[in-house]
Amino acid sequence: MTTEQQAPDSSAAFAPTTSRMMIGGESVDAADGQTFEVVNPATGKVIATAPLGGREDVDRAVAAARKAFDDRKGWANWAAGKRGRTLAKFADLIKKNSDELAWLESRNGGKPIGGARGEIIGASLVFDYYGGAANKVYGQTIPVSKPGLDFTLREPIGVVGLIVPWNFPLLMAAWKVAPALAAGNTAILKPASYTPLTAIRLAELALEAGLPAGVLNVVTGPGGTAGASIAAHPGIGKVAFTGETTTGQEIMRLAAGNVKKISLELGGKSPNIVFADADLEKFARESPYSVFDNAGQDCCARSRILVERSVHEKVVELFAAATRNVKVGDPADEATEVGTLVSFKQRDRVTDYIEIGQAEGATIVVGGAAPDDPALADGAYLMPTVFDNVTNDMRIASEEIFGPVVSVIPFDTEEEALRLANATPYGLSGSIWTRDLAKGLRAAKALQAGVISVNSNSSVHTEAPFGGYKMSGIGRELGMSALDLYTETKNVFIDIS
Ligand code: NAD
């Protein structure tokens, strides 16, 4: 690999060459000085190095976060409104620096720059929301049977560990950091190894916004060492994780040592159910983006289209035509809708699934390979791929591919559609398309998943709870529910007899 020279676009101005972790308000290298390379998947070239943090670095970060938490005049003891105003300032700074953050995210993850910008603004809105929420974390007064006053206090847990994936690096960090800090905790954030750059920049902006040193620490490094040390650390009271279901299971095991509180946002294999009476044109116009956005690397990707048999052919035709119009290209191009996968390794994994699907007897209607354009030959690109003649038991329909691949599966009755939709260990999201509102509501109630939309593919609303049933996770992020994940409830009884 060669180091990327001056890039021909304005993103060059924002590209760091070396980056450091943030511990206790200081930019630091890993304790043992090791680093790892950060690659742009659109070019295959190294754009930065980052510290290869490990156990010793996590120990340092826990000590710094604990010191900040225990400070009698510190973050946890600030008036909630003051914490909230500081988070609102943090939100403004993220917005003000959104160009830089979007370029970092785009070059680091292969994301289209337009989409990356939207994600950064989304992250800023999350901080803004929890800035407003900080002084609305209420307890209750409870009419108990003894003569006295009984009430609850909502208190921060202490030091929390936040482990995030590479698919929406800053946004996933915001979903965790903002409610954790709003509730008065101090935090250690660990970004994925592929995408550490925006987390590092976030910690710098936190200091600029006035968060005291040690309130937000960032440790970069591999999951198996830095991540596992966070999950197992006895000085951390809670771990919040987004990533693969198998990693979530490992984190549960590691967290058992000190009975950490845990919240997990894991994988998905979400259905997009199309009834014959639906607005098929609207479905076909909007739904390619429900599975191909972010090159399909989205836990909510509607990767199974369950379609009523009478409109099967028509839906495949409309969806295939819409898919051919999705603009795959250079992430730096404002017109690009789908950039690269996060890495060449991830593309290999998805390509394997495309071969598996063909071997299982499914047929490719669109895509199935890298783009022909020679200008894209050096990047980890893959064309949006539609499989037809799929059955729900095929591996392409049952395993999370995490790439731009969708399977079309026909059904005959409403009951069969719901049975197929629920026949997965996952339960994150799903969509239902019908003009019959009663049918839509029946299906919304019957789907075993945490985030459902009807005549839409929208899953994420900052103000509403987000999370999974079954093996898609534990707990609900976003909305006021997220504050439950970062607080302990203390019951106090006062005898007034
Ligand atoms: P991953 O599980 O490989 O990694 C996620 C994070 O965990 C990274 O920071 C990684 O370094 C760390 N990690 C890895 N092994 C660890 C260990 N043993 N101990 C502690 N930390 C460890 O996931 P990924 O490949 O980065 O992300 C893709 C996955 O994330 C997909 O399965 C996707 O569905 C899921 N995801 C879920 C949601 C959701 O909200 N449900 C959102 C986004 C992504």
Side-chain angles (χ1 to χ4, degrees):
M1 237 169 254
T2 56
T3 301
E4 196 167 73
Q5 298 302 310
Q6 192 72 2
D9 54 51
S10 60
S11 66
F14 299 129
T17 47
T18 53
S19 39
R20 295 198 165 78
M21 304 189 277
M22 181 69 73
I23 297 182
E26 311 259 326
S27 280
V28 295
D29 293 318
D32 63 7
Q34 287 198 66
T35 59
F36 63 96
E37 290 178 333
V38 181
V39 174
N40 178 349
T43 61
K45 290 180 181 164
V46 174
I47 52 172
T49 58
L52 191 85
R55 193 171 161 174
E56 209 180 325
D57 302 289
V58 171
D59 283 345
R60 284 197 290 166
V62 172
R66 189 74 227 178
K67 187 165 170 238
F69 185 78
D70 287 342
D71 182 350
R72 291 176 69 84
K73 292 195 174 154
W75 184 252
N77 295 306
W78 282 13
K82 182 176 170 188
R83 278 202 307 270
R85 285 191 299 280
T86 308
L87 290 176
K89 196 168 164 207
F90 194 6
D92 285 345
L93 273 176
I94 294 169
K95 194 168 162 198
K96 212 169 127 200
N97 290 277
S98 56
D99 246 8
E100 175 192 358
L101 289 163
W103 276 115
L104 287 177
E105 209 80 300
S106 173
R107 282 165 59 93
N108 195 172
K111 283 170 184 290
I113 183 63
R117 206 173 282 124
E119 283 170 40
I120 304 302
I121 297 299
S124 153
L125 291 173
V126 170
F127 276 97
D128 203 44
Y129 177 87
Y130 288 104
N135 59 2
K136 295 165 193 73
V137 188
Y138 306 131
Q140 294 174 310
T141 54
I142 302 169
V144 295
S145 52
K146 291 223 164 108
L149 180 66
D150 191 283
F151 61 93
T152 59
L153 296 172
R154 304 273 304 278
E155 298 184 336
I157 294 169
V159 177
V160 300
L162 314 173
I163 304 175
V164 296
W166 43 257
N167 59 343
F168 298 104
L170 193 77
L171 194 59
M172 292 298 102
W175 287 19
K176 291 173 173 48
V177 173
L181 299 191
N185 300 282
T186 57
I188 298 158
L189 170 66
K190 196 204 84 64
S193 302
Y194 284 136
T195 53
L197 301 181
T198 47
I200 292 168
R201 190 70 187 108
L202 186 73
E204 292 168 358
L205 293 175
L207 292 177
E208 201 179 323
L211 276 84
V215 169
L216 176 60
N217 306 277
V218 172
V219 173
T220 53
T225 49
S229 302
I230 290 173
H233 205 290
I236 294 179
K238 186 238 154 68
V239 63
F241 168 78
T242 296
E244 277 191 42
T245 294
T246 49
T247 317
Q249 291 171 313
E250 175 63 9
I251 283 176
M252 290 179 86
R253 284 187 283 271
L254 292 167
N258 67 329
V259 194
K260 274 188 193 66
K261 316 289 175 264
I262 46 175
S263 49
L264 305 172
E265 299 288 359
L266 309 175
K269 193 73 193 176
S270 298
N272 212 339
I273 306 176
V274 193
F275 288 104
D277 64 0
D279 180 343
L280 301 181
E281 275 76 19
K282 182 174 191 271
F283 163 80
R285 200 168 53 244
E286 296 179 5
S287 292
Y289 301 99
S290 77
V291 61
F292 302 134
D293 257 0
N294 210 41
Q297 303 162 123
D298 182 345
C299 54
C300 288
R302 306 309 199 251
S303 52
R304 290 184 296 151
I305 297 176
L306 304 178
V307 56
E308 195 159 351
R309 202 176 300 277
S310 58
V311 292
H312 175 190
E313 271 178 38
K314 175 149 194 228
V315 163
V316 170
E317 189 185 309
L318 289 171
F319 189 87
T323 298
R324 287 189 191 95
N325 284 334
V326 173
K327 186 158 179 350
V328 177
D330 181 352
D333 183 342
E334 293 284 348
T336 293
E337 293 175 317
V338 171
T340 70
L341 284 98
V342 75
S343 66
F344 294 89
K345 190 171 160 211
Q346 182 68 7
R347 185 177 67 172
D348 289 347
R349 183 188 132 105
V350 178
T351 308
D352 285 350
Y353 270 108
I354 292 174
E355 284 167 15
I356 289 167
Q358 288 171 290
E360 285 177 310
T363 45
I364 293 178
V365 184
V366 186
D372 294 333
D373 185 350
L376 305 180
D378 292 337
Y381 294 93
L382 195 57
M383 293 304 284
T385 300
V386 182
F387 270 113
D388 195 9
N389 298 316
V390 181
T391 56
N392 210 42
D393 55 353
M394 289 182 185
R395 284 185 63 193
I396 53 166
S398 57
E399 295 174 16
E400 187 184 41
I401 296 176
F402 225 55
V405 180
V406 71
S407 293
V408 182
I409 303 165
F411 67 83
D412 289 301
T413 63
E414 182 181 327
E415 193 196 355
E416 188 191 5
L418 297 172
R419 184 174 54 72
L420 291 172
N422 286 332
T424 163
Y426 296 115
L428 187 55
S429 62
S431 292
I432 301 146
W433 298 80
T434 176
R435 286 190 168 96
D436 177 345
L437 195 53
K439 192 194 282 181
L441 284 171
R442 275 198 303 277
K445 282 194 71 180
L447 283 183
Q448 294 155 6
V451 196
I452 306 295
S453 38
V454 178
N455 297 326
S456 156
N457 294 307
S458 170
S459 299
V460 175
H461 309 276
T462 303
E463 307 79 4
F466 178 95
Y469 280 33
K470 303 193 278 184
M471 290 178 80
S472 285
I474 298 177
R476 294 293 177 270
E477 298 194 300
L478 297 179
M480 295 302 277
S481 340
L483 294 159
D484 296 342
L485 305 178
Y486 297 100
T487 47
E488 293 276 23
T489 299
K490 180 181 284 171
N491 192 70
V492 180
F493 175 75
I494 303 170
D495 188 338
I496 56 168
S497 63

